[in-house]
Amino acid sequence: MTEDLGDFELGDFAVATHGLTKRFRQQVAVNAVDLLVPRGAVYGFLGPNGSGKTTTIRMLLGLIRPTAGRHRLLGRAMPDHAGDVLPRVGSLVEGPAFHPYLSARANLVRLDCVDRHADPATTKVRVDGALDRVGLLAAADKKYRAYSLGMRQRLAIAGALLEPRELLVLDEPTNGLDPQGTREVRHLISSLADDGATVLVSSHLLSEVEQVCTHIGVMHVGTLLAQGPIAQVRAVGEVRARVISDRAQDAARVLRGLGLTDVALEPGMATATLGTLAPDKVVMALVHEGVPVSGFAVERPSLEDLFVSMTGEGFNVSG
């Protein structure tokens, strides 16, 4: 799933890294990561807290220098072309930071004023447009300190949208949010992608990523374990057949007879790794043997199941 640096010239990737590495003294925080984010994708950059996601993002944006490796944003080598590229990139890294005593609108105006690429003549229109985009226009004159955590996260994203962006890099945008706030941010990410932006969103919330992302990359202790279209990455995991029957032992016997592996018995059901056998063949064999089937399901592994199979650890174990 990795391509060499020569392929970066084709411009197919909004983000492309080659051997990107960061060491802090003796600790390797990011280890030779080859990240490929296709243009137009919503790329879920996954990993437990401490797995190297934020360090990678900080290197991508030029906030810290890599120890080794190279990378491109929007097809241009960084940091050589940072002046051309970064105005086309919006980011939210390590949470929003605004003046609590100012309104949301005033905070964005101040943010816009320090952008040397911004046109002062269009500040008001662009600020209101960004607020409207994230659903905060009605609360634009409310003090930032009175904002909920979800509103603060959306305001931070609005700050990244004051100018047209081809790439948005969002580091844990749903961190600390309640379910409603999480849904709001998730819908916003989807709408940004629908408008043609590429979105790189880091998260440790696997279920959220599964609902919004087209591609994923999985990090663990500084190493990129897997990446690609989400369906392709999930296809690596083993698919299991689950048979619900009041004769579970007989169902298990049939599954073994079909050559299925990892057959397991639970109360009222039998499960097995399906392999390449078609599900209808399993059902036909059960019926042929006279085993009553009250339920049958094909279960694909979740992202967390895949992570555990790759690392032998739960998703929140990594330090």
Side-chain angles (χ1 to χ4, degrees):
M1 295 185 189
T2 302
E3 303 181 35
D4 63 36
L5 194 62
D7 292 326
F8 295 3
E9 301 292 346
L10 300 177
D12 292 334
F13 302 106
V15 178
T17 76
H18 180 73
L20 200 64
T21 300
K22 183 63 179 180
R23 296 186 186 91
F24 295 101
R25 296 184 179 179
Q26 300 303 313
Q27 180 183 2
V28 180
V30 176
N31 185 23
V33 165
D34 295 340
L35 194 67
L36 294 174
V37 180
R39 289 180 184 265
V42 179
Y43 187 105
F45 195 35
L46 299 173
N49 293 328
S51 60
K53 304 187 304 297
T54 297
T55 300
T56 301
I57 285 173
R58 291 175 68 84
M59 287 190 286
L60 293 179
L61 298 174
L63 299 174
I64 57 174
R65 286 187 173 274
T67 306
R70 294 170 284 177
H71 73 285
R72 290 178 178 268
L73 295 184
L74 301 174
R76 306 297 298 277
M78 296 288 287
D80 295 351
H81 298 280
D84 296 329
V85 172
L86 291 181
R88 298 150 58 196
V89 179
S91 63
L92 168 61
V93 183
E94 296 184 337
F98 291 106
H99 296 288
Y101 54 87
L102 292 179
S103 69
R105 179 181 280 115
N107 266 298
L108 291 189
V109 168
R110 287 176 65 90
L111 185 63
D112 195 64
C113 287
V114 300
D115 184 353
R116 63 186 178 88
H117 299 281
D119 180 3
T122 61
T123 295
K124 185 180 185 306
V125 172
R126 288 183 292 102
V127 165
D128 283 359
L131 287 166
D132 188 40
R133 184 63 191 274
V134 300
L136 291 176
L137 189 57
D141 295 316
K142 195 173 183 179
K143 295 288 193 295
Y144 177 76
R145 65 185 171 215
Y147 267 26
S148 68
L149 187 55
M151 294 169 74
R152 293 181 180 190
Q153 291 289 82
R154 284 188 284 150
L155 183 62
I157 296 174
L161 299 176
L162 290 172
E163 294 280 355
R165 311 293 186 185
E166 296 176 44
L167 170 65
L168 288 161
V169 180
L170 308 177
D171 186 19
E172 297 282 1
T174 61
N175 197 26
L177 300 188
D178 60 18
Q180 177 61 30
T182 298
R183 281 193 296 271
E184 291 169 355
V185 172
R186 187 174 68 233
H187 293 157
L188 176 58
I189 289 170
S190 296
S191 71
L192 293 170
D194 289 343
D195 287 346
T198 303
V199 184
L200 169 64
V201 52
S202 82
S203 181
H204 64 280
L205 302 175
L206 300 184
S207 60
E208 289 302 320
V209 166
E210 285 187 287
Q211 295 183 58
V212 73
C213 290
T214 60
H215 295 67
I216 58 171
V218 182
M219 290 284 288
H220 179 59
V221 291
T223 300
L224 186 65
L225 298 180
Q227 71 173 333
I230 191 166
Q232 179 181 326
V233 174
R234 290 189 63 176
V236 174
E238 295 180 336
V239 177
R240 291 187 65 80
R242 180 177 296 273
V243 180
I244 301 175
S245 173
D246 57 10
R247 288 168 52 189
Q249 289 189 343
D250 290 334
R253 174 179 50 78
V254 173
L255 296 178
R256 292 190 188 95
L258 290 169
L260 301 189
T261 58
D262 299 322
V263 178
L265 275 170
E266 300 177 34
M269 69 179 67
T271 63
T273 299
L274 188 57
T276 59
L277 189 63
D280 59 333
K281 299 291 186 183
V282 178
V283 176
M284 288 175 61
L286 290 164
V287 172
H288 180 74
E289 292 294 322
V291 177
V293 178
S294 56
F296 181 84
V298 175
E299 300 180 339
R300 299 190 178 276
S302 67
L303 291 181
E304 185 157 6
D305 293 333
L306 286 175
F307 183 85
V308 172
S309 70
M310 291 174 185
T311 68
E313 297 182 355
F315 197 75
N316 292 315
V317 171
S318 179

